[in-house]
Amino acid sequence: SELAPYEDQGVVLIWVLGPSPASIQFTTKYDDMMIPIFKKIPEMAHFGVVNGYGNNPAQGVGFVNLVNWGDRKRSAGQIQFS
């Protein structure tokens, strides 16, 4: 049972956390590995990757904005866990 039902907001977020002494170059190397994966998502409208998220060079975030709900067969949750 859920407190609130799942809501498809049309976006998939990916958090990256490297080891604490990681440099921005280290994080960028691994964050860039997400790009070819994002490009394979048929429902992808746009994507972005932020290296050094939160002013921490060991963190990154990726996001995939999805096409409108009526133009896709899978929910954001289904895409995230596929």
Side-chain angles (χ1 to χ4, degrees):
S1 166
E2 298 177 15
L3 179 61
Y6 171 77
E7 182 178 344
D8 184 339
Q9 296 187 5
V11 66
V12 175
L13 295 173
I14 299 90
W15 298 100
V16 176
L17 181 59
S20 59
S23 66
I24 193 70
Q25 292 83 6
F26 177 92
T27 306
T28 299
K29 174 183 171 183
Y30 288 95
D31 284 354
D32 285 350
M33 292 179 184
M34 292 188 284
I35 295 171
I37 297 168
F38 292 167
K39 289 181 177 181
K40 291 181 183 178
I41 300 172
E43 299 90 347
M44 185 266 302
H46 310 302
F47 69 86
V49 177
V50 178
N51 301 308
Y53 182 77
N55 202 28
N56 181 344
Q59 292 184 19
V61 64
F63 60 90
V64 178
N65 291 328
L66 305 172
V67 297
N68 290 328
W69 297 273
D71 296 331
R72 54 186 160 97
K73 296 180 181 178
R74 299 187 298 169
S75 70
Q78 291 170 320
I79 294 166
Q80 179 178 352
F81 294 109
S82 66

